[in-house]
Amino acid sequence: MSPGRPMEEQHHLVQVRRQHLEELEQRGIDAYPHRYARSHRLAEVVAEGEKLAAAETKVMVAGRMMSKRRHGKTAFAHIEDEDARLQIYVRRDEVGDENYELFKLLEVGDHVGVEGSMMFTRTGELTVKAARVHLLGKTLRPLPEKWHGLTDKEIRYRQRYLDLLMNAEVRRDFRRRTEIIQTIRDVLIEDAFLEVETPILQPMYGGATARPFTTVYHALGDLKVYLRIADELYLKRLIVGGYDRVFEFAKDFRNEGMDRTHNPEFTMMECYAAYWDYEDVMGLVERVFARLAERFTEEGILQYGEHRIDFTKGFRRARFFDLLEEAVGQDLRKLSRDEVAAVARDLGVEVDESMGWGKLLDEIFSEKVEPTLIQPTFVCDHPRELSPLAKRHRSDPDLVERFEPFVAGFEVGNAFSELNDPRDQRARFEDQLRLREKGDTEAQRLDEDFLRALEYGMPPTGGLGLGIDRIVMLFTNRHSIRDVLFFPQMRPEGD
RNA sequence: GCGCCGCUAGCUCAAUUGGCAGAGCAACUGACUCUUAAUCAGUAGGUUGAAGGUUCGAUUCCUUCGCGGCGUACCA
């Protein structure tokens, strides 16, 4: 590990580079010029290679030098930019003595510009024959080895810039992250959703069950404020305010453990549509995944680890209690809280006394059903107790109109027919308060202003949250959330 | 939080039972005008994650700590 030490104490490899930098400056060369009049990106040169080489076209290209092979009075090197690499050929008798001396002082890692004409080498590789080489930015630290590259996960996560510059496939995956978000945004905008922004710092948190991060706001007398765990209650206020359809890509924060699928800050897309119910939202989720599958899979089949996931048939729809019954062999709906607890124990699911009926069912479901939900599935109609913001099921008051899309065994979202009856919403919050009094630190808070908003009338509304990081994991075939976040949470480096 | 594994040169990795800490690449010097993991000859590079202990002697064994990975728990 090489933490950033003061330059004075630097390693001899750094000292050598600093000496080269000084020598260059003594020759009057600016090691950090302001711009370079590039004529092509490398991918453009590569795409047009045949034509450019046939015409010996003059180009000005730029990139980071990733390899260098010197043979006396001639040399080859590769330069690389974001999405392509290109060989350069530098001959002393072409660039002149002075420029060749400059090139000798450049090293792997430096940013260089090359002015020259396109050609193919004897071995058939597209190459720029340099007429002149320019230094565009000097590197002071040595790059990891060219062959094995950088594999140490700690360095890859802590110094992501180094991971990105060494590993083109990592650059591609993060570019895809942006493309996935853009694809989802496109579908929403086509459906007339309006993109909005709501507060991250909130005086009262809500919209999910989780512990928050807290901070203080000095200007309001050290008022305790929270980083949002969800933006649900704010987006619903906007529906009350008369917007028809809204969405937000939100960074949410949850003060909980990290693992392969959890980072304390993560990205959730939430959207709400007036006059929709959860069946309408199912249609939206299917449109979103159909579009993602079209752009990012081969013919709708996604290879994720060992799984082949088929998006060509939409999502299977299955009810929460039916799936439970399939998995445990009996209908748990009519059982009492204690009977469910007994079933859970028999199944080897850990039970504790504070767990209510709904929580116990959820535990059994997580353990016995979720891992089996590989193909795209909507799990529908959950017990009411688990879902304090969802509307009662139109044909069964013990259930809510809710569904969770599952893919590859993980939950990628959550959706409801939104609860818009202010009396019922108040009663559900009060149930949560009772759970909190029993010691459930994650029970939801009663938000009086949100209730006031509902009392002004929210239309029937369908709402959805999508876990963006998990969706990116799916479509990049990555198995840790840390591989889809540029800068995952890490403990501070020691000295 | 708990369990297991790991941490050795800039990077990727070796080191027998506890017995002189090594290689490849990168770097430096020299040779080389179509190479591509360039080649050839030479040089330099280490507080073995940290502290303590056992021992004549510790990269190796023990204890504590730090960081990471994986699993598990918590967490929609």
Side-chain angles (χ1 to χ4, degrees), chain A residues 35-40 42 45 56-63 79 86-91 94-96 99 102-103 106 112-119 127-136:
Chain A
R35 78 185 296 271
Y36 189 69
R38 180 171 68 165
S39 68
H40 298 74
L42 298 185
V45 169
E56 294 181 20
T57 309
K58 298 264 186 285
V59 296
M60 290 177 79
V61 291
I79 60 172
L86 184 67
Q87 183 168 254
I88 66 175
Y89 178 35
V90 184
R91 291 169 60 106
E94 296 276 344
V95 301
N99 196 235
L102 175 146
F103 180 73
L106 302 186
V112 300
V114 181
E115 205 177 327
S117 52
M118 300 306 303
M119 58 168 267
T127 298
V128 195
K129 183 158 67 174
R132 189 153 192 87
V133 176
H134 303 271
L135 173 59
L136 303 182

Side-chain angles (χ1 to χ4, degrees), chain A residues 341-352:
Chain A
V343 170
R345 264 188 230 102
D346 287 348
L347 291 167
V349 175
E350 264 187 61
V351 168
D352 91 61

Side-chain angles (χ1 to χ4, degrees), chain A residues 118-158:
Chain A
M118 300 306 303
M119 58 168 267
F120 281 100
T121 61
R122 188 183 290 162
T123 54
E125 182 167 350
L126 184 68
T127 298
V128 195
K129 183 158 67 174
R132 189 153 192 87
V133 176
H134 303 271
L135 173 59
L136 303 182
K138 190 81 188 126
T139 309
L140 291 181
R141 289 175 185 259
L143 259 38
E145 187 221 348
K146 62 188 170 189
W147 187 242
H148 297 90
L150 178 68
T151 61
D152 185 298
K153 282 194 179 172
E154 183 167 0
I155 303 177
R156 290 187 47 222
Y157 295 150
R158 284 193 198 280

Side-chain angles (χ1 to χ4, degrees), chain A residues 170-186:
Chain A
V170 176
R171 286 201 298 274
R172 277 198 300 275
D173 282 348
F174 278 102
R175 172 170 279 276
R176 176 169 285 195
R177 181 186 169 104
T178 300
E179 291 166 351
I180 286 167
I181 289 171
Q182 195 58 49
T183 300
I184 297 171
R185 178 177 278 121
D186 288 345

Side-chain angles (χ1 to χ4, degrees), chain A residues 238-258:
Chain A
L238 297 182
I239 297 291
V240 170
Y243 288 101
D244 199 61
R245 295 179 189 179
V246 293
F247 75 98
E248 179 173 17
F249 280 92
K251 267 291 182 76
D252 292 341
F253 304 84
R254 298 187 183 177
N255 205 339
E256 286 155 1
M258 327 174 217

